Amino acid sequence: MGKTVITFGTFDVFHIGHLRILERAAALGDRLVVGVSSDRLNFKKKGRYPVFKEADRMAIVAGLACVDEVFTEESLEWKGEYITTHKADILVMGDDWVGRFDEFKRLCDVVYLPRTDNISTTEILASVRAANL
Ligand code: C2G
């Protein structure tokens, strides 16, 4: 049977770092499922709402050639359930989360991939603000 890879993220103001991690995640298996954080979860995590709305962030991720399925990640506490429900064999996260998801090694392989250097939603927003566009 083919291997299912699962990953999670906000993917706000979608950029090349997001695309690269999804492509590398997809290359580890046969099917890529992506949990996109809800607007509410993002507010809880970061104290602000994303720039792009949940439905748009999901549509962007769902439209990528490397992505087979998307769902809304409603809570950080439900990762185990999401892994089980989607029958994931591999959990992929960026290395900004290294060690944080090791408890799921009882359910599937856990792989942390290096982030793409020099790009983040926060930096994009800061440079747009600084340029006063
Ligand atoms: N990422 C990357 N390179 C960057 C920026 C982000 O590889 N330059 C990766 C992150 O490591 C993450 C994914 O892209 O794996 C999504 O990033 P975010 O949208 O910032 O995700 P985050 O808000 O950290 O949400 O349950 C976990 C959370 O939902 C993760």
Side-chain angles (χ1 to χ4, degrees):
M1 249 241 327
K3 282 199 188 295
T4 298
V5 182
I6 193 166
T7 191
F8 296 86
T10 310
F11 305 103
D12 190 25
V13 186
F14 195 90
H15 59 66
I16 192 73
H18 295 145
L19 179 64
R20 293 294 176 236
I21 198 159
L22 293 174
E23 287 177 339
R24 285 178 293 155
L28 296 177
D30 304 289
R31 214 172 146 262
L32 178 61
V33 179
V34 184
V36 176
S37 302
S38 68
D39 290 340
R40 221 170 61 100
L41 172 56
N42 213 258
F43 188 81
K44 268 204 229 151
K45 266 195 310 197
K46 301 185 181 167
R48 67 167 178 82
Y49 284 102
V51 177
F52 293 172
K53 296 246 171 295
E54 182 176 316
D56 293 354
R57 291 183 289 106
M58 285 188 77
I60 290 166
V61 173
L64 300 170
C66 62
V67 173
D68 297 286
E69 191 181 334
V70 294
F71 66 94
T72 311
E73 181 191 26
E74 306 273 6
S75 167
L76 291 178
E77 312 301 314
W78 296 346
K79 267 204 180 53
E81 283 79 354
Y82 294 134
I83 290 167
T84 311
T85 309
H86 293 280
K87 299 185 168 55
D89 301 288
I90 309 169
L91 168 65
V92 171
M93 295 299 301
D95 62 2
D96 44 331
W97 293 90
V98 87
R100 299 271 296 277
F101 298 108
D102 286 357
E103 62 176 292
F104 301 113
K105 287 182 179 167
R106 65 190 159 80
L107 298 176
C108 63
D109 291 343
V110 178
V111 177
Y112 302 99
L113 294 178
R115 284 167 64 95
T116 301
D117 288 335
N118 301 320
I119 187 149
S120 72
T121 301
T122 312
E123 283 170 57
I124 295 168
L125 296 181
S127 65
V128 170
R129 250 183 236 120
N132 230 341
L133 297 175

